[in-house]
């Protein structure tokens, strides 16, 4: 598929008004996307676990209006009008207009809610943009009734990417690749695809417990962060490393080698932060408690031999990854040793999930 394949033929069907509701999860990258080219094309391929509990539910209502030059929409978060969300959605609509030419023909009401607490420091852009992209595709499906499910999901991922890069990895589960990689047939810079190879049982039902270290606003928006990779002295090596790490993960997923998995995943997390620390301007997004938690995890792993590891997003919160069969001992460790480092003792128990779901209205 190429970009022009997502531009529709003139619509033959019509719809006056209606509403669609989708719930879409967040995802956590194992090999990180950090750095992009024009049009949200990633500078390197990435792979993520789709999550299950952390989700955004969006109800999109639409009604035909006089065609005009601008977009017409309102946004609500948990029932409250959110005009400060409008610029981001306006930008998203502008980017996707060529692919969804009906956008200016309707007035939209976007009603959205998150399963995780607002301002938990968990980015809602992946779950939010993917849920919105799916609602918009549900409208297009009414206009193009013959559209098949594969194209529907691929185009929803393509559109979600234009909202927030990592959002294109939130539509399906449980492992999603985004960005072309020479060993992964079908991988694309334009949309996320399901990881196509064998995955050992060790990696089924993996858990992700998210320790909320700092619930504040992000210090650096991801747009600014990605842009800092343009003149970054280590960018090229980093992009190459991401390709290599993804190649290594193919063997890891096949063999079930959790020790190697841990080495790659933790290195990726620290590399992401190292890129921010070595950009100009530079940032430290980890907090003292982030480092306390990492050291505790390393100590516990050494003492018990359990397969606990961490990864990080572009923030201070710590994602603890571990296999299902070690959950009991690891939950006990989190409860007794790590809760003290979380803001107000808050953490979220999540696990690998299988993607977005359409909900009845
Ligand atoms: O989707 P964006 O533009 O917010 O970028 C997110 C990038 C990371 O979350 C830091 C890494 C990733 O691959 O998800």
């Amino acid at each position: 598929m190429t970009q022009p394949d997502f531009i529709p033929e003139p619509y033959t069907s019509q719809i006056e008004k209606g509403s669609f509701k989708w719930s879409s999860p967040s995802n956590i990258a194992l090999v990180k996307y950090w750095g992009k080219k024009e049009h949200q094309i990633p500078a390197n391929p990435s792979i993520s676990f789709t999550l299950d509990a952390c989700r955004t539910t969006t109800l999109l209502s639409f009604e035909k209006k006089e065609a005009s030059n601008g977009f017409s929409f309102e946004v609500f978060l948990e029932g409250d009008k959110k005009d400060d969300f409008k610029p981001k959605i306006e930008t998203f609509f502008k980017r996707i207009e060529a692919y969804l030419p009906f956008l200016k023909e309707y007035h939209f009401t976007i009603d959205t809610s998150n399963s995780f607490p607002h301002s938990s420091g968990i980015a809602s852009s992946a779950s939010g943009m993917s849920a919105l992209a799916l609602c918009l595709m549900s409208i297009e499906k009414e206009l193009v009734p013959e559209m098949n499910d594969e194209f529907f999901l691929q185009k929803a991922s393509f559109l979600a990417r234009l909202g927030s890069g990592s959002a294109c990895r939130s539509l399906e589960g449980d492992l999603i690749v985004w960005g072309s990689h020479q060993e992964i047939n079908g991988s694309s810079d334009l949309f996320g695809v399901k990881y196509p190879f064998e995955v050992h049982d060790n990696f089924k039902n993996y858990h992700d417990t998210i320790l909320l270290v700092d619930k504040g606003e992000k210090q650096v928006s991801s747009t600014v962060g990605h842009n800092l990779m343009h003149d970054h002295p280590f960018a090229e090596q980093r992009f190459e490393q991401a390709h290599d790490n993804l190649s290594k993960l193919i063997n890891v997923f096949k063999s079930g080698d959790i020790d190697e998995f841990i080495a790659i995943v933790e290195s990726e997390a620290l590399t992401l932060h190292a890129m921010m620390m070595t950009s100009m301007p530079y940032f430290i997004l980890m907090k003292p408690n982030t480092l306390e938690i990492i050291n505790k995890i390393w100590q516990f792993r050494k003492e018990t031999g359990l397969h606990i590891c961490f990864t990080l997003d572009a923030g201070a919160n710590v994602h603890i990854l571990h296999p299902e069969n070690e959950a009991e001992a690891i939950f006990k460790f989190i409860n007794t040793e790590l809760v003290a480092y979380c803001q107000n003792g808050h953490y979220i128990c999540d696990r690998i999930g299988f993607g977005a779901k359409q909900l009845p209205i």
Side-chain angles (χ1 to χ4, degrees):
M1 293 294 274
T2 62
Q3 207 168 306
D5 295 327
F6 293 106
I7 298 175
E9 298 288 323
Y11 300 127
T12 45
S13 296
Q14 292 212 358
I15 181 165
E16 269 307 303
K17 62 179 185 172
S19 44
F20 291 106
K21 194 180 204 176
W22 280 87
S23 154
S24 192
S26 184
N27 68 73
I28 181 67
L30 306 169
V31 171
K32 309 288 182 185
Y33 148 61
W34 198 244
K36 63 180 169 187
K37 305 175 200 164
E38 241 199 315
H39 307 301
Q40 305 271 103
I41 297 298
N44 64 259
S46 58
I47 185 165
S48 53
F49 276 149
T50 305
L51 296 182
D52 186 39
C54 289
R55 314 181 75 92
T56 298
T57 299
T58 297
L59 170 69
L60 180 70
S61 308
F62 56 98
E63 192 163 0
K64 201 105 186 178
K65 66 167 181 73
E66 294 284 306
S68 64
N69 285 333
F71 302 111
S72 171
F73 63 94
E74 292 168 290
V75 199
F76 295 85
L77 175 68
E78 264 108 48
D80 296 328
K81 201 153 187 268
K82 276 280 172 190
D83 286 341
D84 48 330
F85 283 15
K86 288 185 90 172
K88 197 160 183 192
I89 292 179
E90 178 91 22
T91 305
F92 177 49
F93 280 3
K94 275 189 197 139
R95 285 185 191 156
I96 62 173
E97 195 190 353
Y99 308 103
L100 295 180
F102 62 80
L103 280 179
K104 282 187 178 148
E105 292 171 20
Y106 293 94
H107 174 74
F108 297 99
T109 306
I110 304 164
D111 254 305
T112 179
S113 62
N114 294 325
S115 65
F116 44 90
H118 187 51
S119 74
S120 56
I122 300 187
S124 57
S125 53
S127 51
M129 284 299 176
S130 53
L132 181 55
L134 283 158
C135 290
L136 291 168
M137 280 309 294
S138 288
I139 301 177
E140 183 161 75
K141 171 101 176 107
E142 296 288 319
L143 303 171
V144 187
E146 64 277 13
M147 185 189 301
N148 67 37
D149 291 349
E150 191 190 345
F151 180 83
F152 180 96
L153 279 173
Q154 222 163 56
K155 183 162 173 182
S157 175
F158 172 88
L159 298 174
R161 184 196 99 240
L162 292 167
S164 170
S166 60
C168 77
R169 298 188 312 235
S170 270
L171 290 89
E172 298 179 274
D174 48 354
L175 268 172
I176 303 291
V177 177
W178 168 42
S180 59
H181 185 275
Q182 67 171 29
E183 287 164 62
I184 303 181
N185 267 345
S187 60
S188 168
D189 285 346
L190 299 178
F191 46 81
V193 297
K194 274 172 110 143
Y195 177 73
F197 304 130
E198 193 182 332
V199 178
H200 193 279
D201 279 350
N202 285 349
F203 299 107
K204 303 278 162 71
N205 293 323
Y206 231 71
H207 286 250
D208 177 6
T209 305
I210 309 164
L211 305 185
L212 305 178
V213 172
D214 182 35
K215 304 186 192 176
E217 284 282 306
K218 280 207 263 180
Q219 256 185 63
V220 197
S221 74
S222 47
T223 312
V224 172
H226 288 295
N227 282 338
L228 288 172
M229 289 301 280
H230 285 312
D231 303 311
H232 197 291
F234 309 133
E236 286 314 313
Q237 292 96 314
R238 160 60 198 151
F239 301 146
E240 223 173 277
Q241 178 198 41
H243 281 268
D244 292 346
N245 280 342
L246 192 40
S247 296
K248 286 182 191 156
L249 274 184
I250 296 173
N251 295 325
V252 165
F253 284 133
K254 192 165 174 208
S255 68
D257 184 345
I258 305 190
D259 292 329
E260 179 68 4
F261 174 82
I262 290 173
I264 295 167
V265 166
E266 290 191 346
S267 160
E268 276 287 323
L270 294 178
T271 301
L272 170 69
H273 283 255
M275 289 300 112
M276 290 181 231
M277 289 195 257
T278 49
S279 61
M280 190 57 81
Y282 40 79
F283 297 95
I284 302 181
L285 299 186
M286 290 184 279
K287 298 284 181 195
N289 280 351
T290 312
L291 294 177
E292 293 286 355
I293 291 168
I294 291 174
N295 280 310
K296 285 272 181 190
I297 290 172
W298 284 345
Q299 195 187 339
F300 179 75
R301 188 162 77 214
K302 200 165 165 203
E303 282 165 13
T304 61
L306 292 175
H307 298 94
I308 180 172
C309 73
F310 72 87
T311 187
L312 306 165
D313 251 335
N317 295 335
V318 181
H319 289 246
I320 296 192
L321 302 178
H322 62 88
E324 163 97 336
N325 61 2
E326 296 178 4
E328 207 180 310
I330 290 172
F331 281 142
K332 199 164 157 215
F333 163 65
I334 293 171
N335 263 313
T336 52
E337 304 263 348
L338 301 184
V339 165
Y341 300 106
C342 300
Q343 218 177 338
N344 305 324
H346 287 166
Y347 63 93
I348 296 172
C349 293
D350 210 338
R351 53 163 71 213
I352 283 196
F354 295 92
K357 294 177 208 149
Q358 184 165 14
L359 303 176
I361 303 291

